Amino acid sequence: MSDLAAVQLGLDTFGDVTRDADGNLLSDAETIRNVVEQAVLADEVGLSFFGVGEHHRREFAISSPEIVLAAAAARTTGIHLGTAVTVLSSDDPVRVYERFATLDAISHGRAEVILGRGSFIESFPLFGYDLRDYETLFEEKLELFSHLLEERPVTWQGTLRAPLTGADVFPKTENGLRAWVGVGGSPESVVRAARYGFGLMLAIIGGPADRFRPFAELYRRSLPTFGHEPQPIGVHSPGHVAETDQQAWEEAYEGFAAMNNTIGRERGWPPYSRMRFQRDVGPEGALYVGSPETVARKIADTVLTLGVQRFDMKFSTGTLSHQHLMSSIELYGSRVAPLVRDMLS
């Protein structure tokens, strides 16, 4: 079996608020409980990772991922649990480390943290941060977090946070904590991840995977220049699995359209359409939507193109129902994952 055939397959969710059988929006509370059930199923079907994103807006129920992940940790045994992503810029690195070290203890070493700046800005005014400091906040906090991962007393000084002098932070983990940086596609972000020796998670939410090949190659070249051993590269992309392509498209379209139009109204995007959707689910698009065979083939192509070690499918988008999400998880673990490994072996 080749190294690529050992690729890890995971799932990500933002806790999108979904609808019930009558078309009514679920409460945030029920959505969160459903996410825990989704994590349990992901573990049962043998997937490698379950990631929960942090947001602070009405479309997404989860603003405290670590609490949801701790609930999942108590009911799972093998799957790794982490964020997708933790918005480090508007959080405190010490508190982030403490929360994930605690999650690592509860899960017996299965915690991971994916750090990023996030694609939404609501957390900045909510927690009193100035968007004019957007770049500096992330750079300084990422540097501090890298020191905290060494689990030794930290002396550090930046410009936007009180300095630390010999600060020791608890709890300690048993075997360290894996950290990644989520990157949307800028060379500077790729080099930053390499500088700290963190894993690289490429968020590919538009266009073909091939256009991210230069970023993967830049990351691999950069790691040794900073004195680091090879680190994993992962991909995060939206998707949905059903028995047939047509069924998957019909189930997924409304949710994808609703989410794109909601965000599009804020950002000046044109209305989403069936034509756009069919392009996005095609070979040159970033949506992994279709039958197990179709989705597996597209994932295998992405793994081969970029040489990645993990693929995380963002399985919840918009108002796609909990029932359909559970079916997608089942098919992803029981049929897509084995097909991907067969195609790559």
Side-chain angles (χ1 to χ4, degrees), residues 331-342:
L331 291 170
Y332 185 70
S334 65
R335 292 174 57 183
V336 172
L339 282 169
V340 170
R341 295 187 179 106
D342 285 346

Side-chain angles (χ1 to χ4, degrees), residues 85-89 114-118 138 180-182:
V85 297
T86 290
V87 185
L88 186 64
S89 306
I114 303 178
L115 305 164
R117 289 178 289 188
F138 188 67
W180 306 66
V181 173

Side-chain angles (χ1 to χ4, degrees), residues 169-295:
V169 180
F170 306 94
K172 307 297 185 186
T173 65
E174 293 174 317
N175 296 292
L177 181 67
R178 174 171 291 285
W180 306 66
V181 173
V183 172
S186 74
E188 295 81 9
S189 297
V190 170
V191 173
R192 181 189 290 119
R195 182 164 73 247
Y196 293 112
F198 293 162
L200 179 71
M201 183 60 66
L202 296 169
I204 304 179
I205 58 176
D210 183 67
R211 72 186 182 93
F212 284 77
R213 192 200 304 261
F215 298 114
E217 293 174 350
L218 173 62
Y219 176 72
R220 294 188 186 98
R221 291 197 309 270
S222 299
L223 281 167
T225 68
F226 295 111
H228 297 300
E229 297 295 321
Q231 298 295 322
I233 301 176
V235 167
H236 156 105
S237 287
H240 178 64
V241 191
E243 287 290 347
T244 67
D245 288 348
Q246 191 66 41
Q247 180 184 348
W249 298 340
E250 291 303 316
E251 290 176 358
Y253 174 72
E254 182 179 351
F256 276 94
M259 185 57 65
N260 273 271
N261 288 333
T262 296
I263 299 171
R265 283 190 292 270
E266 300 173 4
R267 303 184 181 181
W269 300 346
Y272 201 68
S273 66
R274 278 279 184 179
M275 183 177 296
R276 165 77 183 280
F277 178 74
Q278 291 305 142
R279 184 184 68 193
D280 288 345
V281 302
E284 297 301 306
L287 303 187
Y288 293 71
V289 178
S291 68
E293 293 75 18
T294 296
V295 172

Side-chain angles (χ1 to χ4, degrees), residues 204 209 235 237 288 297-308 311:
I204 304 179
V235 167
S237 287
Y288 293 71
R297 190 175 305 112
K298 194 167 184 178
I299 292 173
D301 287 345
T302 296
V303 172
L304 286 168
T305 297
L306 301 179
V308 299
F311 181 90

Side-chain angles (χ1 to χ4, degrees), residues 27-267:
S27 67
D28 290 344
E30 188 167 0
T31 300
I32 290 170
R33 290 191 290 268
N34 284 344
V35 169
V36 175
E37 296 299 328
Q38 291 155 15
V40 171
L41 178 59
D43 185 49
E44 291 173 349
V45 297
L47 293 169
S48 299
F49 178 79
F50 191 85
V52 177
E54 172 197 348
H55 293 84
H56 304 271
R57 51 185 292 141
R58 71 176 70 244
E59 294 86 6
F60 308 112
I62 297 174
S63 58
S64 300
E66 301 91 343
I67 296 178
V68 179
L69 293 168
R75 297 183 54 195
T76 56
T77 58
I79 196 165
H80 280 227
L81 303 163
T83 43
V85 297
T86 290
V87 185
L88 186 64
S89 306
S90 58
D91 210 328
D92 184 88
V94 174
R95 294 295 289 140
V96 172
Y97 167 81
E98 289 175 340
R99 296 196 300 265
F100 275 91
T102 302
L103 175 64
D104 198 63
I106 294 169
S107 66
H108 293 271
R110 292 184 283 129
E112 300 184 11
V113 57
I114 303 178
L115 305 164
R117 289 178 289 188
S119 58
F120 297 95
I121 61 172
E122 288 83 2
S123 63
F124 289 82
L126 187 63
F127 300 121
Y129 291 99
D130 192 332
L131 278 169
R132 289 175 296 184
D133 297 325
Y134 187 78
E135 293 290 341
T136 305
L137 281 167
F138 188 67
E139 181 64 61
E140 290 191 356
K141 292 185 177 188
L142 192 66
E143 180 189 23
L144 174 54
F145 194 81
S146 72
H147 292 304
L148 293 166
L149 288 179
E150 297 173 3
E151 301 194 340
R152 297 195 299 264
V154 173
T155 297
W156 175 91
Q157 184 170 350
T159 62
L160 298 173
R161 185 200 187 280
L164 297 174
T165 303
D168 212 357
V169 180
F170 306 94
K172 307 297 185 186
T173 65
E174 293 174 317
N175 296 292
L177 181 67
R178 174 171 291 285
W180 306 66
V181 173
V183 172
S186 74
E188 295 81 9
S189 297
V190 170
V191 173
R192 181 189 290 119
R195 182 164 73 247
Y196 293 112
F198 293 162
L200 179 71
M201 183 60 66
L202 296 169
I204 304 179
I205 58 176
D210 183 67
R211 72 186 182 93
F212 284 77
R213 192 200 304 261
F215 298 114
E217 293 174 350
L218 173 62
Y219 176 72
R220 294 188 186 98
R221 291 197 309 270
S222 299
L223 281 167
T225 68
F226 295 111
H228 297 300
E229 297 295 321
Q231 298 295 322
I233 301 176
V235 167
H236 156 105
S237 287
H240 178 64
V241 191
E243 287 290 347
T244 67
D245 288 348
Q246 191 66 41
Q247 180 184 348
W249 298 340
E250 291 303 316
E251 290 176 358
Y253 174 72
E254 182 179 351
F256 276 94
M259 185 57 65
N260 273 271
N261 288 333
T262 296
I263 299 171
R265 283 190 292 270
E266 300 173 4
R267 303 184 181 181

